[in-house]
Amino acid sequence: MPKGYWVSVYRTISDPEKLAAYNKLARLAVEAGGGRTVVRGGRVVAHDAGIAERTVLVEFDSFEQAVAARESPAYQEALAVLSDGVERDFRIVEGVD
């Protein structure tokens, strides 16, 4: 079964305090949903239309598990705290088996 991944590329961070509060809640939601953070911040080299801002990659055992974790009440709470603190591109993608 292919793994599932959350891919978040932050375009702008307008409120670092909201992001910090989100990070605390999101970490708990990800762990409860069976996710493992593979990339969080760190060095970035962007090409083409890429943006060298914060990038996060979270791995789940399946695509369905990744979708369920995103829809969980715990993650919805994290999103409410984040609100308009960032602009990001968030995707759930299926890995190659």
Side-chain angles (χ1 to χ4, degrees), residues 6-92:
W6 288 5
V7 182
S8 298
V9 178
Y10 289 70
R11 299 179 189 283
T12 60
I13 299 171
S14 57
D15 192 329
E17 290 179 8
K18 285 184 179 179
L19 179 58
Y22 160 84
N23 285 338
K24 290 179 184 177
L25 294 173
R27 180 179 53 82
L28 297 173
V30 164
E31 290 172 357
R36 297 165 299 284
T37 301
V38 179
V39 173
R40 182 178 48 238
R43 300 187 320 167
V44 175
V45 176
H47 295 278
D48 302 325
I51 298 171
E53 189 58 80
R54 178 182 174 90
T55 301
V56 178
L57 177 65
V58 179
E59 180 182 64
F60 293 85
D61 290 336
S62 71
F63 180 80
E64 292 76 17
Q65 189 179 23
V67 170
R70 169 64 171 78
E71 295 173 355
S72 73
Y75 190 71
Q76 295 306 306
E77 180 182 354
L79 285 176
V81 168
L82 181 60
S83 65
D84 62 351
V86 302
E87 179 186 353
R88 67 181 182 164
D89 180 356
F90 181 97
R91 300 165 188 246
I92 301 174

